[in-house]
Amino acid sequence: MTGLVVLIPIALALGLAGLAAFFWAARSGQFEDLDGAALRILIEDDDPIP
């Protein structure tokens, strides 16, 4: 029972930290161009690597 007293606040703190990290990433523009990274691999380089 005493383990739950310790683990529940830790789990809540980690969940809130993850939620805060998600909102920070969304506000800073990390999710703006989702298709660009997927299509960038299809672009051919002009100079081939020797």
Side-chain angles (χ1 to χ4, degrees):
M1 189 66 180
T2 58
L4 288 177
V5 174
V6 174
L7 290 177
I8 289 176
I10 291 173
L12 289 174
L14 286 175
L16 288 175
L19 190 63
F22 171 74
F23 282 129
W24 171 79
R27 191 175 342 153
S28 68
Q30 294 292 321
F31 303 116
E32 291 294 324
D33 185 22
L34 296 177
D35 294 329
L39 296 176
R40 198 172 308 138
I41 192 138
L42 300 175
I43 299 172
E44 292 185 23
D45 293 334
D46 292 335
D47 298 328
I49 298 174

